[in-house]
Amino acid sequence: MSGLIPLTERELKKWYRNPVFFITGLLQPIFWILLFGSSFNLTSVFSGAGAAGTREELAVFGTTSYITFVLGGILTTSSLFTALFSGTSIIFDRRLGNMSRFLVSPIHRSSIVFSKILSTTVRILVQSIILVGAAALIPGGLVLSNGMSLLGVLIIISALIMIAFSFSAIFSIIAIRLKRQETIFGIINLINLPLLFASYALFPSKFFPAWLATVAEYNPVSWSAQAIRYVILNGTLTGSVLQQTMYYMLYLLMLTVFMLVVVYFVSEKEIRD
Amino acid sequence: MVHNGDKMSEDYIIVTEKLAKTYPGGIKAVKGIDLKIKKGQIYGFLGPNGAGKTTTIKMLSTSIKPTSGTSTIMGYDIIENSMEVRRTIGVVPQDLTTDEDLKGIENLEMVAKFYDMPLNDARKKARELLELVDLTEFGDKYVSTYSGGMRKRLELIVGLIHDPAVLFLDEPTLGLDVQTRTKMWDYIRKIKNEFGMTIVLTSHYLEEVDELADIISIIDHGKIIVTGTSEELKKSLQGDIVEATFASPDQAKVFGAYVNAIDPTFPKENVVRMKVKDSDREVPAIMQYMMKNSLSPTRFNVSKPSLDQVFLDYTGREIREEEAGDTRKMQMNMRRLRR
Ligand SMILES: Nc1ncnc2c1ncn2[C@@H]1O[C@H](COP(=O)(O)OP(=O)(O)OP(=O)(O)O)[C@@H](O)[C@H]1O
Ligand SMILES: [Mg+2]
């Protein structure tokens, strides 16, 4: 894969050198946190009921801070939106002619696509770190009332890597033969919102009608959001929560491996200039 | 060195047989071409817009697969051994391929890494090549700050970074002004001489092919119409043109009766235009004929056929009609850049 390293380097250079990309990439997660932090104030929703309200709130959300509850969902959602870049930049390379160079070079064609996926994953991880930082700093933000374990940190990082990889891979596959950005933006509008709202990213399962809860169970956005959420809420995972988290991680792993294989075969065969 | 029949075939760096490409939608872009390209030659494809030049180059450089036919480059099959082919060849596609958001040198180094070149070698070679095309001071500048001509020069050397044995140049001077074009020709000649490279070049500028190519193939509608050196092609028209103007129509008529004249015509009553097989041999005889018949022309002109005429003769159209297309194509390239 002699192409993967130089191509990923290229992507990252283009990213951190472009002030617009870089700054909007960093601001986006902060906006998410500010927006959610102020528009959903759990304590004021439940406060009418006094101590009973707080108890109910804890039972439904597992925390009195909505940001703490929703952080796993926001991390996942912002990966979903950033992953789009791997698709659009494939289309750009084709339009600008860079693709013609890659296709006559002795590199695996899949390395062109994998470089997009890899660099987008790096972007998403950097964004995630900032997002977590912003969530911790904001008043009423992230509280780790049950602490954090090394296993917990590993779960969060691997969940993010897997979901970032899978989303980037999906958008890359969509873009692999497209010539126009407009098409991919259209597709994204079509799939992003349903993916977001038919998932546990923003609200707990108790809020869902049964049919939607079933859909949400099969939605990768839920897998990553829930796995991260369980870790944040519980600190150390035990018993059935640990089991459920591991199931979500397993689904994510299967999705990642599946996407890896699909990207490899599709891009080796189908990529054009 | 022992030469036998088998060895002879090794003199050819590129061999193709019935190479053809039909695009989805049934567009027959290339309709079966046979080529034999010798080592160290500059081989020129001359053809108007849509003739199939780029499609041919793309097939040979493995970026698209032929629909039928075969080809080998340095003995590697373009389908079976496409990786080896890519390692062997350098390509300068018709598109601009360098990344505007990177510096010139970074583009060169990135491509060098595609070929697993050690970084030190890559840097050295990159500097050398930048010097070759007079871009030394611009290597550390972002490509977005380059002019159109500088950009084309950079494109040219990106295809050379790994010292390929064969270089494909698809319309290397498209849309450039005359002065810059002449400069590019110098670079291309330098590349041939200094690196001993075999070069396959496409163009629809007659002068370019005439100037650079050792062998020319005229290609139109996806087929090679005729192949030869510039001299051979011109000779194949069977004749140079002699035009003479006389004081009286009578004299013109006598001159028109010259025995070796081919297709004499009279554009005006007192003007004769005729083809002769080989003007260098024929003119002395014509002189004698005129003296013998006391003909004294007021004007006398001999012209060797130009490649324009060759093109016109073989394709039935003027290649110049197409030239308006250049600016359009260049603009398309540029517009793509701005999107
Ligand atoms: N990707 C494609 N899909 C469908 N048709 C194509 C494609 N690329 C080229 N063609 C068609 O194939 C024919 C040959 O095109 P090609 O680009 O090879 O010509 P060319 O000789 O390079 O022309 P130009 O001087 O304009 O570059 C044209 O009719 C063109 O419209
Ligand atoms: Mg072309």
Side-chain angles (χ1 to χ4, degrees), chain B residues 54 94 170-171:
Chain B
T54 299
Q94 188 170 327
D170 196 1
E171 309 225 30

Side-chain angles (χ1 to χ4, degrees), chain A residues 179 273, chain B residues 21-25 27-30 47-58 64 94 170-171 174 202-204 219 222 325-326 328-329:
Chain A
K179 292 221 161 86
D273 65 352
Chain B
K21 177 75 188 180
T22 306
Y23 282 113
I27 304 155
K28 292 197 164 90
V30 174
N49 290 144
K53 305 182 294 294
T54 299
T55 305
T56 306
I57 298 278
K58 279 187 177 173
I64 58 174
Q94 188 170 327
D170 196 1
E171 309 225 30
L174 181 72
T202 80
S203 182
H204 62 283
I219 177 170
D326 294 1
R328 182 187 55 84
K329 259 193 287 180

Side-chain angles (χ1 to χ4, degrees), chain B residues 174-245:
Chain B
L174 181 72
L176 297 179
D177 58 85
V178 179
Q179 212 177 347
T180 321
R181 185 173 303 160
T182 326
K183 205 76 208 252
M184 283 294 266
W185 294 348
D186 288 340
Y187 297 137
I188 293 169
R189 268 189 225 105
K190 243 200 283 185
I191 290 165
K192 182 198 167 186
N193 296 333
E194 282 182 24
F195 306 120
M197 223 168 264
T198 308
I199 299 178
V200 179
L201 167 117
T202 80
S203 182
H204 62 283
Y205 297 122
L206 293 154
E207 317 87 77
E208 182 159 296
V209 186
D210 211 359
E211 188 73 28
L212 293 173
D214 300 308
I215 304 280
I216 300 168
S217 276
I218 291 182
I219 177 170
D220 197 15
H221 299 302
K223 275 188 125 45
I224 290 181
I225 292 168
V226 61
T227 299
T229 64
S230 176
E231 282 306 303
E232 285 166 355
L233 291 183
K234 289 168 190 168
K235 276 227 178 79
S236 73
L237 288 193
Q238 308 232 321
D240 305 338
I241 288 153
V242 175
E243 196 178 280
T245 308

Side-chain angles (χ1 to χ4, degrees), chain A residues 35-256:
Chain A
L35 189 76
F36 280 100
S38 49
S39 52
F40 297 92
N41 191 334
L42 292 189
T43 319
S44 66
V45 174
F46 288 95
S47 65
T54 309
R55 233 178 297 125
E56 193 189 329
E57 182 186 350
L58 270 172
V60 175
F61 286 93
T63 173
T64 52
S65 147
Y66 181 66
I67 289 184
T68 305
F69 169 80
V70 86
L71 186 59
I74 295 183
L75 286 170
T76 307
T77 315
S78 82
S79 347
L80 178 62
F81 281 89
T82 304
L84 170 64
F85 280 101
S86 57
T88 49
S89 84
I90 288 176
I91 298 173
F92 257 103
D93 277 358
R94 180 173 299 120
R95 288 192 87 100
L96 296 184
N98 310 85
M99 191 66 85
S100 307
R101 169 59 56 207
F102 305 152
L103 292 184
V104 296
S105 298
I107 54 176
H108 286 288
R109 305 214 155 162
S110 56
S111 67
I112 303 166
V113 179
F114 279 122
S115 75
K116 307 286 181 193
I117 298 175
L118 217 60
S119 58
T120 311
T121 305
V122 171
R123 276 165 86 153
I124 290 171
L125 288 180
V126 172
Q127 268 181 26
S128 301
I129 292 168
I130 293 163
L131 218 152
V132 173
L137 290 177
I138 193 174
L142 176 65
V143 273
L144 297 171
S145 41
N146 292 315
M148 182 52 63
S149 61
L150 181 63
L151 177 69
V153 175
L154 286 180
I155 287 177
I156 294 178
I157 293 174
S158 12
L160 279 175
I161 290 177
M162 290 191 287
I163 201 74
F165 185 96
S166 302
F167 285 148
S168 309
I170 290 167
F171 288 126
S172 303
I173 294 282
I174 293 174
I176 220 157
R177 293 288 287 274
L178 291 184
K179 292 221 161 86
R180 303 154 57 87
Q181 272 102 267
E182 292 85 338
T183 323
I184 197 166
F185 283 120
I187 293 171
I188 272 138
N189 282 334
L190 203 66
I191 65 176
N192 270 16
L193 288 186
L195 264 180
L196 182 57
F197 286 104
S199 81
Y200 300 145
L202 305 178
F203 305 107
S205 51
K206 294 201 177 72
F207 282 19
F208 284 64
W211 69 270
L212 195 57
T214 315
V215 175
E217 271 308 316
Y218 290 100
N219 184 343
V221 176
S222 302
W223 303 341
S224 144
Q226 288 288 71
I228 297 171
R229 177 171 300 145
Y230 284 150
V231 172
I232 289 176
L233 295 182
N234 296 293
T236 316
L237 298 174
T238 50
S240 65
V241 179
L242 177 65
Q243 202 188 1
Q244 190 57 47
T245 308
M246 285 306 158
Y247 270 124
Y248 286 135
M249 295 300 281
L250 183 66
Y251 301 155
L252 283 173
L253 185 65
M254 289 183 337
L255 177 67
T256 308

